[in-house]
Amino acid sequence: LQTLHLGSCVIITNLQKIQSEFSEIRDSVQANDQNIDFRVLRNAGSLQDTEPSDRCCLLRHLLGLYLDRVFRNYQTSDHHTLRKISSLANSFLTIKKDLQLCHTYTTCHCGEEATEKYRQILSHFEQLEPQAAAVKVLGELDILLRWMKETE
Amino acid sequence: DGGEALPAPQNLSVHSANMKHLLMWSPVVLPRETVYYSVEYQGEYESLYTSHIWIPSKWCSPIEDAECDVSDDITATVPYNLRVRAILGSQTSAWSILEQPFNRNSTILTPPGMEVSRNGFHLVIELEDLGPQFEFLVVYWRRELDTKEHAKVLRRGGIPVHLETMEPGAPYCVKAQAQVKAIGRNSAFSQAECVEVQGEALPL
Amino acid sequence: HMAEDSPGLLQHVKFQSSNFENILTWDSKPESIPGTVYSVDYKTYGKPEWLAKAGCQRITRKSCNLTVETGNFTEFYYARVTAISSEGWSATKMTERFHPQQHTTIKPPDVTCVPKVRSIQMIVHPTLTPMYNADGHQLTLEEVFQDLFYHLELHVNHTYQMHLEGKQREYEFSDLTPDTEFLGSIVISVPTRLKESAPYVCRVKTLPDRTWT
């Protein structure tokens, strides 16, 4: 298990399990991403380079993006991929609920940095058609996992 | 085929122990017919965000037995809905849905099977292999006046592992507990088992 | 004469990476097509430009060392090969997205096993990678993977094992029987990357006990 330090919000999660689930579909998902000149989760917006006090808010928004607009919009008829996406989505939901607790206890403050970084990520995301954006950002899940890992 | 609808399976329940989750139901019995079943699941994410989506179980779509090991389907610690229907040729029954969603954190954790032995002056333990989600907290002590407990975490079972080098004159006792980090729970400790080294002290 | 695509000309374009030595390899079918030359390009995911790899333009061998070009282990890369046969056939194929930290395999550690009378000492030597940080310091695997640790096993006459693990480099299995053979097995483990090296194995015998002779 890994302990993520997001300012005064500290959560424990199993990134290894998530990494393992994603690695089973990574190559096929990334192969569906036709536009390799463009990246949504860019180093400039990374979690670990964000003020600790703003990390929880940024991560909460990012998980929301995955839950609302990535896992939901990724279309596949392959049952294995469907199961892996379900596993990832339910694991992300668990983390989001933990972050929600922090939010309830006002330790998930949305400062200017988090708001601006998420705005940029969203603008990159929305430059793409929804289905293509879902494919690309699902393929970038290992970027998000690395960001989360580096807040350990 | 009398045109009657194929009855749906009844009495769904989940029996879960040591992170092995078994969905069971009453079989649909039709004379001289083999009825199959199909199991599907949805996690909390699906029920909240895409409630129309149900995912075919990895091992039971279809299956002939009136039970299904859903351990590989239940991969997050959230409530899961489960449903089953009967299949006979081209006919399918209505879905029966598990009354209460199942969460793996309700699994029953039993004290691990354990074998304590000695090899020369070495105290050796072999724990039951319960799968990759399990670790074991092993506590051992030399049974004498000022008993001081020692603890070690073993990452897997199924292989005999050296715990301590013993000295003669008093028995060494061991007990173990299974730990599942994924759900943040432990089993009770096993019964303590003790062994003793006879004869002189360890040659220097 | 426009070159047409010929699938057999170029196959299995992929990175083979171990300890961050990133080699691009490919095949052709049949094994060799005389006169065929290959050219390699590479790019960083998210950036538009493909860059030609100097030293791997119009080559006849079927591998190209891209360690330096893919040296930022936090980035994601692609490479592609263009093959042109002497008859003018051509084929271009690209790798999957390559992430050094993700894809590199870990080689067995370099270990010295030192037998004593009642113990065996094991010294793990650091593994250097071909990567350097901003100050020009060559990085070891330990510096690249923060959660890297060593797992050591000593197999005792096929019946049980002794285990040690940790981040330090020196370990000692003690309370052993003199003049007895043991099998040591040492792996490098990086749990967050789900990586484990193949084991370094040493067969070693404790020294005879001459204290009473």
Side-chain angles (χ1 to χ4, degrees):
Chain A
L1 293 178
Q2 286 74 47
T3 304
L4 307 188
H5 299 274
L6 311 164
S8 39
C9 169
V10 179
I11 64 170
I12 294 175
T13 182
N14 194 339
L15 289 184
Q16 255 170 261
K17 179 73 167 58
I18 297 172
Q19 179 87 55
S20 164
E21 300 278 9
F22 178 64
S23 64
E24 289 194 43
I25 57 171
R26 181 187 51 235
D27 290 342
S28 63
V29 169
Q30 289 177 349
N32 288 332
D33 182 359
Q34 306 302 323
N35 181 352
I36 60 175
D37 296 354
F38 185 79
R39 177 169 155 169
V40 172
L41 301 184
R42 302 180 186 181
N43 292 334
S46 69
L47 203 52
Q48 66 273 32
D49 295 339
T50 302
E51 262 311 303
S53 58
D54 268 28
R55 285 179 185 168
C56 172
C57 170
L58 180 54
L59 182 56
R60 206 159 62 90
H61 280 312
L62 288 170
L63 295 180
L65 181 68
Y66 272 85
L67 293 169
D68 289 331
R69 300 170 72 168
V70 176
F71 297 129
R72 191 202 301 251
N73 290 336
Y74 189 85
Q75 286 158 12
T76 178
S77 53
D78 173 57
H79 284 174
H80 177 69
T81 303
L82 204 57
R83 284 194 201 101
K84 291 303 149 188
I85 288 176
S86 169
S87 187
L88 291 168
N90 282 288
S91 297
F92 269 37
L93 186 63
T94 307
I95 299 173
K96 184 136 194 282
K97 285 199 265 183
D98 289 343
L99 295 178
Q100 198 60 39
L101 275 180
C102 286
H103 183 64
T104 310
Y105 293 105
T106 66
T107 56
C108 200
H109 163 72
C110 280
E112 213 179 298
E113 186 182 11
T115 308
E116 174 52 22
K117 280 190 172 179
Y118 182 64
R119 192 196 58 74
Q120 279 179 23
I121 289 169
L122 203 53
S123 82
H124 302 151
F125 183 86
E126 287 171 343
Q127 286 176 43
L128 302 171
E129 182 266 328
Q131 173 62 26
V135 168
K136 174 169 282 297
V137 175
L138 182 58
E140 292 185 358
L141 196 138
D142 45 10
I143 295 176
L144 179 59
L145 290 178
R146 186 160 53 78
W147 289 2
M148 292 165 76
K149 216 170 291 174
E150 289 187 8
T151 67
E152 265 192 272
Chain B
D1 165 22
E4 276 167 36
L6 185 63
Q10 298 301 315
N11 308 317
L12 272 63
S13 64
V14 173
H15 299 260
S16 173
N18 290 335
M19 296 299 270
K20 187 174 173 67
H21 322 307
L22 212 55
L23 174 65
M24 308 174 86
W25 57 87
S26 306
V28 173
V29 180
L30 297 175
R32 293 176 306 285
E33 295 285 8
T34 303
V35 173
Y36 290 87
Y37 305 94
S38 180
V39 174
E40 293 185 345
Y41 66 93
Q42 74 178 187
E44 188 178 19
Y45 173 76
E46 284 78 23
S47 49
L48 289 177
Y49 287 79
T50 54
S51 54
H52 59 288
I53 288 189
W54 289 80
I55 299 163
S57 165
K58 181 170 184 177
W59 302 116
C60 315
S61 290
I63 192 167
E64 196 173 332
D65 308 332
E67 64 179 44
C68 169
D69 182 343
V70 291
S71 309
D72 287 342
D73 301 319
I74 311 287
T75 56
T77 307
V78 294
Y80 277 79
N81 290 320
L82 294 160
R83 69 180 186 180
V84 191
R85 70 178 171 186
I87 303 169
L88 179 63
S90 60
Q91 255 191 294
T92 55
S93 75
W95 288 103
S96 289
I97 298 181
L98 184 67
E99 219 168 288
Q100 286 299 323
F102 168 72
N103 191 319
R104 66 179 183 176
N105 60 15
S106 63
T107 192
I108 295 165
L109 293 179
T110 59
M114 175 178 83
E115 204 180 301
V116 177
S117 59
R118 68 175 185 80
N119 192 300
F121 288 90
H122 285 178
L123 175 62
V124 176
I125 183 171
E126 180 168 356
L127 288 154
E128 180 183 4
D129 185 357
L130 291 171
Q133 304 202 67
F134 284 78
E135 287 187 348
F136 303 91
L137 177 66
V138 177
V139 174
Y140 54 97
W141 63 95
R142 179 178 156 90
R143 200 167 68 196
E144 51 185 354
L145 291 181
D146 59 339
T147 300
K148 182 172 181 295
E149 282 190 350
H150 305 273
K152 233 178 216 179
V153 173
L154 297 187
R155 276 191 220 288
R156 53 192 164 105
I159 45 168
V161 176
H162 164 271
L163 267 184
E164 174 74 285
T165 300
M166 299 184 285
E167 291 180 17
Y172 284 72
C173 298
V174 185
K175 61 181 181 181
Q177 163 189 78
Q179 301 184 332
V180 183
K181 287 187 176 165
I183 57 173
R185 283 185 45 220
N186 310 323
S187 74
F189 271 100
S190 59
Q191 285 290 325
E193 283 188 33
C194 304
V195 291
E196 186 166 355
V197 177
Q198 307 302 334
E200 324 95 55
L202 187 71
L204 293 175
Chain C
H1 165 56
M2 253 310 277
E4 285 157 31
D5 208 351
S6 155
L9 202 56
L10 188 57
Q11 295 187 326
H12 312 138
V13 177
K14 61 177 185 259
F15 279 98
Q16 313 241 27
S17 174
S18 68
N19 285 8
F20 294 103
E21 191 83 26
N22 307 327
I23 312 297
L24 184 67
T25 64
W26 56 91
D27 295 327
S28 63
K29 202 164 72 176
E31 191 57 33
S32 80
I33 304 173
T36 301
V37 291
Y38 306 96
S39 298
V40 171
D41 302 312
Y42 63 96
K43 75 179 284 181
T44 301
Y45 168 61
K47 295 198 172 125
E49 61 281 357
W50 283 95
L51 304 171
K53 161 63 180 168
C56 293
Q57 300 300 308
R58 302 185 65 79
I59 56 175
T60 54
R61 68 177 187 277
K62 292 180 186 148
S63 71
C64 174
N65 189 326
L66 286 171
T67 297
V68 172
E69 290 75 14
T70 55
N72 180 341
F73 58 79
T74 68
E75 277 297 354
F76 299 76
Y77 299 97
Y78 287 90
R80 75 182 173 195
V81 181
T82 301
I84 299 177
S85 78
S86 46
E87 297 93 34
W89 296 102
S90 87
T92 298
K93 288 220 164 71
M94 190 173 75
T95 63
E96 286 168 346
R97 192 175 303 174
F98 173 68
H99 182 38
Q101 259 190 348
Q102 190 87 54
H103 289 97
T104 204
T105 57
I106 309 262
K107 292 180 184 171
D110 177 21
V111 182
T112 305
C113 298
V114 181
K116 301 184 178 175
V117 178
R118 288 187 183 286
S119 68
I120 293 172
Q121 192 185 18
M122 293 187 181
I123 303 162
V124 184
H125 305 290
T127 305
L128 286 171
T129 71
M131 294 182 300
Y132 294 80
N133 66 9
D135 318 332
H137 160 71
Q138 188 168 7
L139 297 175
T140 64
L141 280 179
E142 291 155 340
E143 287 162 330
V144 174
F145 296 118
Q146 304 294 315
D147 63 317
L148 181 149
F149 69 92
Y150 303 102
H151 178 78
L152 303 89
E153 291 175 1
L154 194 70
H155 296 245
V156 188
N157 55 39
H158 304 298
T159 54
Y160 64 98
Q161 300 171 14
M162 301 176 81
H163 289 175
L164 290 173
E165 66 180 41
K167 285 175 170 292
Q168 72 269 24
R169 297 239 181 92
E170 293 199 15
Y171 300 84
E172 186 149 9
F173 288 100
S174 43
D175 302 320
L176 304 179
T177 309
D179 201 20
T180 305
E181 184 165 272
F182 297 90
L183 181 72
S185 165
I186 304 98
V187 300
I188 294 175
S189 183
V190 185
T192 55
R193 288 286 160 185
L194 311 171
K195 287 183 188 306
E196 187 165 281
S197 72
Y200 173 91
V201 175
C202 62
R203 194 172 290 280
V204 63
K205 193 169 189 179
T206 46
L207 307 179
D209 184 358
R210 303 197 191 288
T211 45
W212 305 109
T213 49

